[in-house]
Amino acid sequence: DGTEETEEVAGEEAEISPFVGEWLCDNASIYIDEGDGAFDIYIMWDISETETDIWEYKCTLDPQTGALTGEGKKSHEVIDEEGEIVSNEEMYTDGSATFALEDDALIWTDAKEDIAQGMRFERGEGDELLEEYDEIDETADAEDEETEEEASAD
């Protein structure tokens, strides 16, 4: 009759981590996705209409603190007037961060730059940012493949 499936789906929805979703503060957006026991965290910070800093972290839940902790990288992206990526420069790959929930807000503690000090990210309402991150990932993957092909040709 289908009621069992609905109960299973509802049970799965109840299991979703409170970290998952979109978080916003000023010019910065954080999108958190969960899968395979880890959390993928993408942060986009608009510096201007054409420049964005992007952080990508792979985190796990710390059972003692209840916060997400992990390591990641930062890149700086420049786009032209049509929205095409002009450059994407990797700034560093040795970043680390903690993401904690405090009174319905997400607190990002960046151990590398401490860039988000005093910022409280409020829950957003959409997942359109995930589509942007997927495009960034695809572009980065294509650039990585080109670099690997050039290296193997030498």
Side-chain angles (χ1 to χ4, degrees):
D1 65 338
T3 54
E4 289 177 17
E5 288 179 31
T6 306
E7 288 172 9
E8 285 178 17
V9 170
E12 286 175 20
E13 287 177 8
E15 302 278 328
I16 293 175
S17 168
F19 286 98
V20 171
E22 175 188 46
W23 299 87
L24 309 170
C25 183
D26 300 329
N27 293 340
S29 306
I30 298 177
Y31 189 84
I32 301 176
D33 195 18
E34 181 180 15
D36 297 330
F39 293 81
D40 292 317
I41 301 179
Y42 303 96
I43 303 164
M44 294 183 80
W45 192 316
D46 294 332
I47 297 167
S48 69
E49 288 187 23
T50 59
E51 294 184 62
T52 303
D53 281 340
I54 301 163
W55 289 261
E56 297 177 51
Y57 293 100
K58 181 69 99 176
C59 294
T60 55
L61 182 64
D62 181 329
Q64 301 226 328
T65 65
L68 302 180
T69 59
E71 297 178 352
K73 62 184 181 178
K74 176 185 177 182
S75 58
H76 180 78
E77 183 178 272
V78 179
I79 60 170
D80 62 19
E81 294 79 26
E82 288 82 43
E84 297 295 319
I85 297 171
V86 176
S87 69
N88 188 334
E89 179 184 354
E90 194 167 78
M91 306 303 285
Y92 58 77
T93 59
D94 61 347
S96 62
T98 301
F99 299 86
L101 294 174
E102 182 180 292
D103 301 326
D104 296 327
L106 181 71
I107 307 300
W108 167 30
T109 304
D110 179 307
K112 178 84 172 176
E113 301 175 277
D114 201 21
I115 193 155
Q117 185 176 15
M119 295 178 72
R120 295 176 60 81
F121 289 80
E122 303 296 328
R123 186 169 291 283
E125 295 182 6
D127 61 354
E128 63 275 357
L129 288 173
L130 183 59
E131 294 170 15
E132 290 181 36
Y133 296 128
D134 287 343
E135 290 174 19
I136 291 166
D137 283 345
E138 289 169 13
T139 303
D141 290 345
E143 289 171 358
D144 289 346
E145 288 173 15
E146 288 172 15
T147 304
E148 288 172 13
E149 289 171 8
E150 290 169 9
S152 63
D154 291 340

